[in-house]
Amino acid sequence: MKGLDLMKGVDSEAESLSANAYNGWAFLEMQAANTGRTRELLKEGNAKFPMDGALLQTWGTLEEKCCEYETARELYSKSVEVRPTAVALVAWACMEAKLGDTARARELFRNALRVDPLHGAAYHAYASLEMKQGNVDEARRIFELGLDKDPSASVLVGYAQLEMKFGSRKDKARELFRRGVSQTRGDASFIWHAWLTMELRERDPLSARGIALEARKRYSGNSRILVASALAEAMSARGVPPDLDKSREFFKEAVLVDPFHAHAWQTWGVHEFRNGNEAIARGLFQKGLNKCPSHGPLWQACGVLEVEDGNFDEAEKMFRNGISKCPNHVPLYQAWACMEVRRGSFDKARELLEQALRSDPSHGAVWTAYGLLESRYGSLEKSRELFLQGLRRAPNHGPLYRTFAMVEERLGNYERARQLFREGIERDPYDAPSYRELSLLEKKFGRRDAFKELALQAQDVFGSGNVKSVLLEGKCSNFVRAGDEDDLELTKLWSMEHALDLSI
């Protein structure tokens, strides 16, 4: 990495190194996935500057990345004791939220806002937690409070993304984006990129290209905006063909501007793969890894390509190397587990899914996959146990309820299935496939009143124009469901549900 090159020949034990220097150096080593060296630097820095809260916080972040959660918690606590900062409190809160301790996370977010009422990132992270819990009105309240206290880019973008995700207030989202790009002093490229991402999710290539053009006028050398521009050109709609040559030009410009932009290499590679250029995709992934060896999605993409070609041993090397460099990237474990199921190595698949859950115990998709795996290739008793554990850990993950319900329906436990479908829709009302599956169940038994009630519920959530597609197809063409990643994740090759015949 460029930053690490500057540190060559520097003696970490030199008396002249400040606490900030230790912290910055450790951060660069952590980015390069040099865990051992990062820990050494933080220990040395802490020994010299035991009352430096920033060093303790960075150390806590390292241990969290290594899944040493108790150690991370202790370090975050010490950092806050030494000097309570909103940054440290938010980092700690986000870890607790990931581990499923919502009450403690809320308390820490509130403490962060008491310490610094103008900390925009705290409002954003706190509201995001409430969104994931299905508390949309509470998330809006937090964002409104943030706008009143500190109308920063973080708050404006977070609030706009909330309105984007919940389908019916897209104009409000665009209003917030316009406010952000017009009133933000300094670099507003982050807001332009978020706005462009929203237009891409709307699957409207003309709108996306228009926003991309405006963004490039202001930030012609921004790699993230160039990648999003490439995706806009690659998108098509009725009467609007894709421009693949122009898309490639933007991808090429993005990696020239920033050769260390891992997502640019990954997205370009997936683009070529989807257009049948596997050799080009493989080369792009490898170039990306040469520049960004700690980027988990790139390792995942390389592994998936090998799996698709039947090169399981080579794929395993890719997955193993990726996990060694990026141990918290859950999709790596999922992809490897998919491959092991294909090979009939069910015990290995179980082991990998358990490792994924140690990394992120509240990852609903992994609980879904693990429960489904056991229902197919293990015992129903263990399958149910896993689904129930998952519901405790990820109580608002709609696909988990839906999959559990479909397993019970297949076994003839129709009332239990109906109960699970309804609980899932109550917890995650934006999971369109759950409406379809429940509607099929109600129609099967001639429950017309229940079907009508479900249709009205779908209308309230998705709008009257989308009820038919939700109930018949389980999807809503202009809707992005809650819980989707904020960044451009239009590049996922496959997941546990789609890679194998693991669907019901």
Side-chain angles (χ1 to χ4, degrees):
M1 293 179 67
K2 293 179 287 188
L4 281 179
D5 290 340
L6 299 175
M7 304 305 295
K8 288 180 179 177
V10 176
D11 182 4
S12 66
E13 296 185 0
E15 290 297 325
S16 58
L17 277 184
S18 65
N20 285 341
Y22 272 108
N23 208 10
W25 189 353
F27 181 76
L28 291 173
E29 296 286 358
M30 186 161 51
Q31 281 190 313
N34 299 327
T35 302
R37 182 56 178 148
T38 306
R39 192 174 279 115
E40 288 175 6
L41 286 166
L42 290 168
K43 285 183 177 179
E44 289 176 19
N46 180 247
K48 290 182 179 180
F49 305 99
M51 300 303 289
D52 189 278
L55 274 169
L56 289 164
Q57 181 204 327
T58 303
W59 194 352
T61 301
L62 173 69
E63 299 303 342
E64 181 184 346
K65 284 179 177 288
C66 295
C67 304
E68 298 293 340
Y69 297 118
E70 285 301 326
T71 303
R73 186 175 287 121
E74 182 180 343
L75 288 162
Y76 285 140
S77 178
K78 286 182 179 178
S79 173
V80 171
E81 286 176 12
V82 167
R83 182 168 172 247
T85 65
V87 174
L89 285 160
V90 168
W92 187 2
C94 288
M95 184 187 78
E96 298 297 352
K98 181 176 76 172
L99 296 176
D101 193 340
T102 305
R104 179 180 279 190
R106 286 187 176 116
E107 179 185 356
L108 290 165
F109 282 131
R110 291 179 190 128
N111 288 342
L113 292 173
R114 277 193 285 270
V115 168
D116 184 359
L118 303 181
H119 192 70
Y123 292 102
H124 190 156
Y126 188 6
S128 296
L129 170 67
E130 296 300 344
M131 277 183 6
K132 289 177 181 177
Q133 296 296 313
N135 303 323
V136 180
D137 289 340
E138 177 63 10
R140 284 195 177 103
R141 187 193 68 79
I142 293 167
F143 276 129
E144 288 289 348
L145 182 62
L147 286 180
D148 181 56
K149 295 285 187 180
D150 175 38
S152 65
S154 179
V155 174
L156 286 162
V157 168
Y159 198 177
Q161 287 170 336
L162 179 149
E163 299 301 351
M164 169 191 76
K165 285 179 178 179
F166 290 90
S168 60
R169 297 177 58 167
K170 302 296 173 64
D171 289 341
K172 172 71 171 178
R174 291 186 175 96
E175 176 191 330
L176 289 162
F177 281 128
R178 288 192 190 95
R179 179 177 171 184
V181 297
S182 64
Q183 75 178 34
T184 300
R185 297 177 180 178
D187 188 355
S189 60
F190 163 66
I191 305 175
W192 281 105
H193 178 263
W195 188 358
L196 179 49
T197 300
M198 186 192 83
E199 300 298 347
L200 286 169
R201 291 191 184 281
E202 287 293 286
R203 303 295 192 269
D204 183 344
L206 291 180
S207 293
R209 291 171 191 177
I211 297 298
L213 178 61
E214 291 300 313
R216 289 196 308 277
K217 286 178 182 177
R218 295 162 175 79
Y219 302 99
S220 58
N222 185 286
S223 182
R224 285 166 61 85
I225 286 173
L226 288 166
V227 168
S229 298
L231 289 171
E233 296 298 336
M235 186 179 290
S236 62
R238 183 177 296 178
V240 185
D243 189 335
L244 298 183
D245 289 336
K246 197 168 185 180
S247 178
R248 287 190 181 95
E249 289 176 14
F250 283 130
F251 278 128
K252 185 180 292 186
E253 192 176 348
V255 297
L256 286 173
V257 166
D258 183 3
F260 295 92
H261 185 185
H263 191 64
W265 293 106
Q266 178 207 356
T267 310
W268 188 5
V270 173
H271 170 76
E272 296 296 349
F273 177 78
R274 286 177 170 169
N275 284 282
N277 303 318
E278 185 176 320
I280 295 175
R282 196 184 300 274
L284 290 166
F285 291 147
Q286 192 56 56
K287 286 179 180 179
L289 284 176
N290 291 341
K291 296 289 186 182
C292 317
S294 61
H295 188 69
L298 274 169
W299 288 105
Q300 180 191 353
C302 287
V304 167
L305 282 187
E306 299 300 341
V307 173
E308 292 301 307
D309 284 345
N311 303 324
F312 292 154
D313 290 341
E314 188 62 28
E316 182 175 341
K317 289 180 185 176
M318 293 292 180
F319 293 138
R320 195 179 296 278
N321 287 340
I323 287 171
S324 71
K325 294 289 187 180
C326 191
N328 276 356
H329 188 64
V330 170
L332 270 170
Y333 297 96
Q334 289 178 282
W336 189 356
C338 287
M339 184 188 77
E340 295 301 340
V341 173
R342 280 189 181 183
R343 293 207 284 192
S345 303
F346 304 123
D347 286 341
K348 181 62 177 177
R350 291 182 180 99
E351 177 188 331
L352 289 162
L353 292 173
E354 286 171 2
Q355 286 180 318
L357 290 171
R358 282 196 290 273
S359 177
D360 186 353
S362 61
H363 200 289
V366 177
W367 286 109
T368 302
Y370 200 177
L372 190 50
L373 178 67
E374 289 299 334
S375 77
R376 283 293 183 86
Y377 304 108
S379 73
L380 285 171
E381 182 181 354
K382 185 171 182 182
S383 173
R384 288 185 174 116
E385 180 184 330
L386 288 165
F387 282 131
L388 290 171
Q389 285 185 55
L391 293 178
R392 287 192 291 271
R393 288 287 194 171
N396 298 292
H397 188 71
L400 182 53
Y401 289 89
R402 170 168 32 97
T403 307
F404 191 3
M406 292 168 76
V407 168
E408 295 294 353
E409 182 181 0
R410 189 179 63 184
L411 295 169
N413 301 323
Y414 299 118
E415 282 304 318
R416 177 60 172 148
R418 182 177 289 111
Q419 178 189 3
L420 286 164
F421 280 132
R422 290 201 170 280
E423 286 179 8
I425 289 172
E426 181 181 349
R427 288 282 192 166
D428 184 1
Y430 302 93
D431 183 50
S434 288
Y435 292 81
R436 176 182 180 273
E437 297 302 330
L438 181 54
S439 73
L440 291 174
L441 181 60
E442 301 296 16
K443 286 170 70 176
K444 180 177 181 178
F445 288 93
R447 292 166 55 98
R448 293 184 180 180
D449 290 343
F451 181 84
K452 289 179 181 177
E453 180 185 340
L454 183 64
L456 288 173
Q457 192 172 357
Q459 178 177 313
D460 288 342
V461 174
F462 299 100
S464 57
N466 295 305
V467 173
K468 186 174 180 180
S469 63
V470 169
L471 296 183
L472 295 182
E473 303 173 46
K475 61 183 180 182
C476 180
S477 59
N478 67 342
F479 182 80
V480 179
R481 70 177 302 280
D484 287 346
E485 295 299 323
D486 290 337
D487 202 355
L488 286 175
E489 288 298 330
L490 309 176
T491 58
K492 291 177 181 175
L493 287 176
W494 45 262
S495 64
M496 176 60 99
E497 288 80 4
H498 298 107
L500 306 175
D501 184 21
L502 280 177
S503 57
I504 296 295

